[in-house]
Structures are given as structure tokens and as C-alpha cells.
Amino acid sequence: MGNVDRALVRDVGAVALASGVVGVSFGALAVAAGLSVWMALFMSVVVFAGGAQFVAVGMVAAGATPVAAVFAGLLLNARHLPFGMAVADVLGKRWPTRLLGAHLMVDESVAFALAQREPGRKRAAYWLCGGMLFVAWNLGVVVGGWAGRTVGNPELLGLDAAFPASMLALLLPSLLPPKEEDASEGVRLKATKGRRVALVGALIALAATPLLPVGVPVLLSILAVGVALR
Amino acid sequence: MTLLPILVLAVGTFGFRIAGPLLSERLQLSERVQGLMSMATIAMLAALVATSTLIVQGGFAGWARPAGVFVGALLAWRRLPFIAVVVAAAVTAAGLRLLGVP
């Protein structure tokens, strides 16, 4: 993998570490909600979507029916469909890599791929991030499940701010005009469009949040693409 | 949470994940549409940033988290290394909470 350099490993490692600590808190929550450690791990391996796992387990613990919990989790994960259309090239055409790559599709791996320009680096960033997060998340869940509630409060460590900040840092290359003087007009125009789309998308999601169930506002933000059509 | 709902959630989630690559192959998307798909990704990631910064369980997340994200954003905009952005955001939020900011 000539496209994996030390900086990429370090950046992905930081995100994986944060995700591992959040995994610890999921493991603790799941066990507190009555799952065995192994069931919590099984769920994390086969679902591998932190937000949906928290929502589903939290809802069942709060007395919701499993059907409602699964529905809420699926609504939250529907964004992976448009994500998948955007990273289809990264996953390639071979079935084994496509199936495995699809399972490793999370916000972070998509954002890391988006932040790279060359196809080779996109692939490297996607697989490295998806793989490292998968390992860190599931390890975290086991640790949290065993240790219970005493360790790993992500808020105390400020990790709830680390997730949006890392997503934003990965978005910026698509939003800021490139530093190089010789950057083509097309690249500049794309960054301008990207800024408008990001701003409108964020506003749509925030405006829709009080009105619609979790997951739908983020899907609705796709409408912001309309401002890039002109 | 029993095995069945977990399996349904897993299968449904994987369905969403694999549908994108399959659809984009079947539809033979033009370069223009592919450009719009990456714009859609930008819109959704920006929406995730906004909602995960400001909102917890339908209400305001408190000031510590957005303050941390703001500091991180400032450093990212100044083109500081990614790891500095992430650490600064976390340290700011954690520090503010130590001082009693919610």
C-alpha cells in the first residue's frame, strides 16, 4: 500500500481511538440494558454503526418495542445509501472487496475518502479508516461490556466534540479554495459550490431536527445539492 | 434486545450500504451526476457536523461541545494538522466541563 503514509495512519488512528472510547461507553450501556457482553459485541460486529446501535439499545432500555427500535436505527442508517453511491468507485467491482468495503462504510471512512484527491489515496484512506475503526469500535465494546459503567465517559474526555470537529476537518478540503496559485478555475468553482451546499445542508438539517425523527434531517440535507445545480 | 431485532438491523443496514455501489453501477451515472453525488455527501457530512455539534436527544447540547468544535474548526481553517484539530476540540470541551460549563 504505497498510498498509506505516516500522517494518514496517525490521523486515522486518532479517530479510531476516539471511536474506541465511544465503543467502551456503548458496551457499558448495552450491558446495563441487559445484553450480555457477547451479544453487545455480536451487535457491534454485524451492525457496525455507532449511532444506530445507541439509538436501538437505548430505545429498548427505555421501554420501546424492538420493532420501533429497529425502525429508528434503520432510519438513522439510510444515509449509507447515498454515501455508497458517492464511494462506489472506492469499493471497486470485485465482489469480495465490495461486500467487505460496504460493511466498513461509516461516516468517518466516507469523510476520509472524500478528503483525498487521487483515487489511490481515496481507496487507501477508506480502507484504513474503515478497518481501524472496526477493530477499535469492537475492542471498545468488549472492554466497556466487561468494565461496566465505571470507565469511558466520552463527554468527560470531550470526545463528543472530537467527532464533529474531525468530520469538519475532513470536509474542509472540499470547501476551501486550494492554496496553490495555479489551481484551475474548475477546482475553485467546485469549492465555492461545496461551501454553499455544506451551509445549506447544515441549515436544512438543523431546521428539520425539531420536526422529524432522528436520521431524516440528515437525509433531507441532500436537497441542498439544488444550490449547486446552476 | 434479543437476537432477531439485532439481525434485522444488521441486514437492513448492510442493505443500505451495498445498495449505493450496486445502484451506481446499474445506472451508469454520468460524470455530472457523480459530481452531484459527491455534493450530496458534502451536504450530509455538513448536516452531521451541525446536528452532532448542537443537538443531543432533540435538545440543545450545551455550550461546551459547540465551543470545542468551534476551536477545532478555527485550527482546521488555519490548516493546522488534523490531529491538532481533534485534540483541541476534545480538550476545549473537556476543560469547559471541568470549569462547570454544561
Side-chain angles (χ1 to χ4, degrees):
Chain A
M1 292 281 261
N3 283 302
V4 177
D5 54 43
R6 195 177 284 190
L8 185 62
V9 172
R10 187 194 57 200
D11 293 353
V12 169
V15 171
L17 190 68
S19 154
V21 178
V22 178
V24 171
S25 74
F26 175 77
L29 172 88
V31 169
L35 269 77
S36 68
V37 176
W38 299 115
M39 197 62 119
L41 176 63
F42 177 74
M43 182 184 196
S44 295
V45 168
V46 297
V47 178
F48 189 46
Q53 289 176 230
F54 269 107
V55 163
V57 170
M59 280 179 68
V60 169
T65 63
V67 174
V70 166
F71 186 73
L74 287 177
L75 212 49
L76 199 56
N77 284 341
R79 67 179 183 282
H80 290 100
L81 197 160
F83 274 161
M85 294 184 76
V87 298
D89 289 350
V90 175
L91 299 189
K93 303 266 180 225
R94 287 182 48 237
W95 274 103
T97 51
R98 192 186 255 172
L99 291 173
L100 184 63
H103 191 57
L104 298 179
M105 189 187 298
V106 285
D107 302 326
E108 290 89 342
S109 54
V110 172
F112 261 103
L114 184 79
Q116 317 295 327
R117 286 205 198 148
E118 306 151 42
R121 277 191 64 91
K122 272 186 196 290
R123 262 196 302 280
Y126 182 91
W127 284 94
L128 186 69
C129 182
M132 282 180 81
L133 252 71
F134 187 80
V135 172
W137 173 251
N138 289 300
L139 269 179
V141 170
V142 173
V143 170
W146 271 329
R149 275 198 177 284
T150 46
V151 291
N153 180 346
E155 295 216 345
L156 215 58
L157 299 169
L159 293 178
D160 55 323
F163 172 75
S166 62
M167 289 291 112
L168 186 59
L170 293 170
L171 255 181
L172 275 188
S174 312
L175 307 182
L176 293 180
K179 248 192 315 196
E180 309 92 70
E181 297 284 323
D182 59 338
S184 71
E185 196 57 38
V187 175
R188 283 179 198 286
L189 188 67
K190 212 173 154 190
T192 310
K193 277 184 177 177
R195 276 200 298 283
R196 284 194 201 132
V197 167
L199 185 67
V200 175
L203 289 176
I204 289 175
L206 286 177
T209 293
L211 311 170
L212 296 167
V214 179
V216 181
V218 169
L219 283 179
L220 268 188
S221 72
I222 295 178
L223 294 175
V225 168
V227 299
L229 283 175
R230 284 173 300 143
Chain B
M1 206 81 187
T2 50
L3 190 60
L4 185 64
I6 290 175
L7 284 176
V8 175
L9 181 57
V11 169
T13 300
F14 189 76
F16 284 130
R17 282 175 166 142
I18 197 72
L22 294 185
L23 274 174
S24 82
E25 183 183 49
R26 186 63 58 88
L27 301 175
Q28 298 279 337
L29 300 178
S30 66
E31 199 143 308
R32 181 174 149 78
V33 176
Q34 265 176 355
L36 288 179
M37 283 321 296
S38 64
M39 283 293 160
T41 307
I42 289 173
M44 284 189 293
L45 290 176
L48 274 175
V49 170
T51 52
S52 63
T53 297
L54 295 171
I55 290 155
V56 174
Q57 292 170 354
F60 180 52
W63 292 103
R65 186 189 297 190
V69 176
F70 179 76
V71 169
L74 216 57
L75 298 192
W77 180 59
R78 302 296 303 166
R79 299 183 199 261
L80 263 78
F82 177 82
I83 186 121
V85 171
V86 177
V87 171
V91 167
T92 305
L96 284 174
R97 288 196 182 110
L98 270 182
L99 295 174
V101 178

